[in-house]
Amino acid sequence: MGVGKKCPIPNRTHSLAQPHSARGHILTCADAAPQKRSPNRNLHVESCLKPDSLVPNSQPPASTRRQFLRRAAAITAMNGLPVGCFKPKGANGDVRVGVIGFHGQGGHHLQELLKLDGVRVTALCDVDARVIDEGVALLKKKGLVARTYSDFRKCCEDKEIDGVIIATPNHLHVLIALTAMANGKHVYVEKPVSHNLAESRLLVEAAARRPKLIVQHGLQRRSDEGWAEVMAWLGEGHLGKVTLSRGLNFKARESIGKVDGPTRVPKFVNYDLWCGPRPKAPLMRTKLHYDWHWQWPYGNGDIGNQGPHQLDVARWALGQMKFPQRVMSLGARWGYDDDGQTPNNQLALFDYGEGSAPLLFDNRGLPMKDMDWKVEPVYRIGGFACPRIGNVIHCEGGIVAESKAYDHQGGTIRKFSLRDGGAHRENWLQSIRDGKPRSDNLSILNGHLSSCLAHLANISWRIGTKMKPEEVRERLASDKAALETLHDFEANLAANKIDWSVANPTVGPWVQFDPATGRFAGEFAREADKLVDEDYREEFKLPVIS
């Protein structure tokens, strides 16, 4: 759904709600020098790839603005390159690609790769034999063949592959990426680039240690010249300072059902490889595919599914290349009792400290009303529909809501041409040919920081407690934007006949993550630290990239 023609916008303050009670000292997230990884995998994240100059602050000085405009122009020029104009490099002049996991998004990657000149799909890898057969049939129609694998480790060892595209379930992303890098392969890894904070840092460190390998995230909007134009335009100060950066995901998610006991794994799936680093536990959901998103061992909820795209743009608008000083999240899995574990409605607040606007992420998985799944929820400002899935950047002089900039009276100031970064995949391929990333926007550091926003919000929520509505409102009392969002959040529940005074939300504490130690600080550190890392089965340990 697009942006309404007339959208009266109240200005937003950029305060964040104070904690309900004292939450301990708030640490400053200062960058520090890279260190060797300690045995407990402490995360020292932010300076691994020298992030300081990658993206300007939301209100940059003139020199920084000029740098930002040059970078934006570079993105425009980069995306102006016609598909298929790659210069020959290596045997046959082709970039040889292996696609690992192509039941969903990976299938789209496969189809798009087959449209490009200068690229050969030389390997297909999936644990589902039916998916492999479909891929083989697709290639055969085009007179092509590729080697097939069920085991990603064997695929990564294939010497006829230059790079891999990883589109598996989240819990396999970093494991496969590090395995590929250990075998000298370039990597394109879908969002979120990681499943937890600890392995995310390891991925960034590995990329820093192997600078000749192109390691790119799947956040396509970083390759969108329209979004680069938006950021440059805001950087020039046309709407004044950014006061709030908002990410939205209003996407109805129905129940995944509830099983009475373990369900049978399809015989055509190698379940041991599907589980990978996680325990080979009984399958406790109706469908093997996709619904893993809503179970913690494998997925990260919708804030870690669709969310990273909007979290990334929201962070980009703030010019933040570091972790927030503190994060809190609230929500629940409302409307049904099923085998999902993640919240379907979730609100997350990210505080970057004094002098920076905050970031707010609003996820709605319930329909608009009456639990009618045919009607998607809609986000409104001042009674007018705004982007259902996207970003709203609030500024002193108006807002940018996806492709349009408005003043506070709802008048359109400017329109932008957004294409959702269709050249992102091609930019990875061209970076391989160039021997260096085509833009800092493609850096795995951006994928890491934006994915970790989802991880931090989920950690807050997972260690939270049930609260009554009045307690939630008190928690957010000093934050006007958060309270307004909460009011709409509550109205959505009521429209679906859910009484949140009975079905109380889980409200997480403000958590403070220290990237210098890779651990949490403050009152809730012990609980939060338990969710920084995960256990890995012996045969699926993370490779060490030295």
Side-chain angles (χ1 to χ4, degrees):
M1 183 173 294
V3 180
K5 291 183 178 180
K6 199 76 171 173
C7 188
I9 311 299
N11 196 7
R12 296 292 191 262
T13 62
H14 85 240
S15 66
L16 271 174
Q18 297 300 312
H20 186 60
S21 60
R23 299 301 181 191
H25 177 64
I26 297 177
L27 298 178
T28 300
C29 292
D31 293 342
Q35 303 168 357
K36 291 185 178 179
R37 179 166 59 93
S38 61
N40 66 359
R41 291 182 184 162
N42 283 347
L43 307 189
H44 183 274
V45 185
E46 297 177 357
S47 60
C48 293
L49 296 183
K50 300 180 181 179
D52 301 61
S53 63
L54 296 186
V55 182
N57 293 325
S58 52
Q59 298 88 40
S63 61
T64 308
R65 285 179 186 153
R66 287 193 294 270
Q67 293 168 1
F68 187 49
L69 289 171
R70 286 196 295 269
R71 279 193 291 271
I75 294 174
T76 301
M78 174 177 71
N79 290 334
L81 190 70
V83 172
C85 73
F86 305 134
K87 295 180 180 179
K89 180 179 180 182
N92 300 319
D94 293 338
V95 177
R96 301 164 302 175
V97 177
V99 182
I100 304 178
F102 56 100
H103 180 264
Q105 178 67 11
H108 175 70
H109 282 300
L110 176 58
Q111 299 233 12
E112 293 302 308
L113 286 170
L114 295 177
K115 298 176 183 178
L116 301 177
D117 296 328
V119 182
R120 270 193 298 139
V121 176
T122 54
L124 299 174
C125 180
D126 203 286
V127 299
D128 188 326
R130 292 193 311 179
V131 174
I132 287 287
D133 290 344
E134 290 169 2
V136 169
L138 176 64
L139 292 179
K140 186 176 180 180
K141 287 180 181 178
K142 298 181 177 292
L144 304 172
V145 294
R147 286 173 297 285
T148 61
Y149 300 93
S150 60
D151 191 330
F152 68 88
R153 295 166 295 191
K154 297 295 184 183
C155 182
C156 289
E157 292 171 0
D158 190 331
K159 297 186 184 302
E160 298 301 313
I161 295 174
D162 298 312
V164 298
I165 291 179
I166 303 166
T168 62
N170 300 355
H171 69 290
L172 292 159
H173 283 182
V174 171
L175 173 60
I176 298 176
L178 294 180
T179 302
M181 294 173 69
N183 284 278
K185 305 296 189 287
H186 304 285
V187 170
Y188 179 114
V189 58
E190 271 297 343
K191 52 74 195 170
V193 300
S194 56
H195 190 248
N196 61 58
L197 291 169
E199 66 176 25
S200 198
R201 177 256 187 158
L202 295 179
L203 179 60
V204 174
E205 286 190 333
R209 290 173 181 146
R210 297 290 175 90
K212 293 184 179 180
L213 294 178
I214 304 301
V215 183
Q216 182 176 311
H217 58 77
L219 300 169
Q220 294 94 334
R221 289 184 167 203
R222 287 284 175 162
S223 286
D224 192 310
E225 61 189 72
W227 273 112
E229 184 184 4
V230 170
M231 299 306 172
W233 189 77
L234 288 174
E236 291 169 343
H238 293 282
L239 293 180
K241 293 181 179 180
V242 175
T243 58
L244 172 69
S245 193
R246 185 190 300 265
L248 298 164
N249 180 40
F250 282 41
K251 181 183 293 187
R253 299 290 191 183
E254 296 187 50
S255 167
I256 65 171
K258 194 170 184 65
V259 298
D260 295 328
T263 57
R264 185 163 56 181
V265 177
K267 61 182 179 180
F268 43 81
V269 171
N270 187 322
Y271 189 56
D272 183 61
L273 288 172
W274 190 95
C275 293
R278 301 289 91 86
K280 191 178 178 181
L283 180 61
M284 296 300 295
R285 59 185 183 278
T286 302
K287 294 193 306 181
L288 172 69
H289 293 306
Y290 200 80
D291 288 346
W292 52 263
H293 277 294
W294 326 126
Q295 294 184 331
W296 292 121
Y298 321 110
N300 303 90
D302 236 355
I303 195 172
N305 178 30
Q306 178 63 41
H309 289 297
Q310 278 64 56
L311 288 168
D312 187 59
V313 171
R315 184 178 60 80
W316 191 4
L318 297 177
Q320 290 292 353
M321 291 301 295
K322 61 182 181 180
F323 279 84
Q325 289 188 5
R326 57 182 192 151
V327 178
M328 74 158 287
S329 182
L330 64 91
R333 196 168 182 83
W334 278 296
Y336 42 70
D337 178 23
D338 66 355
D339 289 314
Q341 299 167 326
T342 63
N344 57 11
N345 272 31
Q346 185 175 10
L347 176 62
L349 305 175
F350 304 86
D351 180 3
Y352 282 96
E354 186 176 353
S356 174
L359 191 158
L360 182 154
F361 185 79
D362 187 1
N363 186 85
R364 310 286 180 90
L366 293 172
M368 181 183 291
K369 61 181 180 178
D370 300 326
M371 295 301 287
D372 180 359
W373 298 103
K374 296 177 182 178
V375 185
E376 297 273 15
V378 174
Y379 177 63
R380 296 177 182 276
I381 297 178
F384 288 79
C386 286
R388 191 172 58 80
I389 299 172
N391 289 83
V392 179
I393 305 166
H394 301 264
C395 303
E396 292 173 319
I399 69 164
V400 173
E402 285 289 292
S403 63
K404 293 182 181 179
Y406 298 94
D407 60 28
H408 287 308
Q409 289 69 48
T412 300
I413 299 174
R414 180 162 175 171
K415 296 180 181 180
F416 302 92
S417 179
L418 304 182
R419 298 181 179 85
D420 255 4
H424 198 59
R425 189 184 309 99
E426 290 93 317
N427 287 336
W428 175 67
L429 294 165
Q430 188 62 38
S431 294
I432 293 172
R433 291 183 172 278
D434 293 345
K436 60 182 180 180
R438 307 199 70 209
S439 164
D440 288 333
N441 273 321
L442 309 179
S443 167
I444 195 63
L445 182 61
N446 277 313
H448 157 72
L449 289 171
S450 296
S451 297
C452 285
L453 292 180
H455 301 332
L456 291 169
N458 281 335
I459 287 173
S460 171
W461 186 82
R462 291 176 73 179
I463 66 173
T465 57
K466 296 286 187 181
M467 280 191 184
K468 295 179 180 179
E470 54 269 26
E471 294 176 303
V472 181
R473 297 186 193 104
E474 182 182 353
R475 170 73 69 87
L476 303 181
S478 64
D479 190 328
K480 181 181 178 181
L483 273 179
E484 289 176 350
T485 304
L486 183 69
H487 177 74
D488 189 70
F489 199 92
E490 183 178 357
N492 178 233
L493 293 175
N496 284 287
K497 299 179 174 58
I498 296 170
D499 184 352
W500 77 324
S501 66
V502 176
N504 294 158
T506 294
V507 181
W510 285 101
V511 294
Q512 305 154 24
F513 183 72
D514 181 3
T517 64
R519 297 297 170 199
F520 286 86
E523 181 180 351
F524 303 95
R526 175 177 289 186
E527 294 172 82
D529 279 345
K530 294 175 183 178
L531 298 174
V532 167
D533 204 348
E534 294 171 277
D535 293 327
Y536 296 75
R537 287 198 286 165
E538 188 62 36
E539 61 270 41
F540 295 100
K541 295 288 187 183
L542 297 176
V544 175
I545 307 295
S546 57

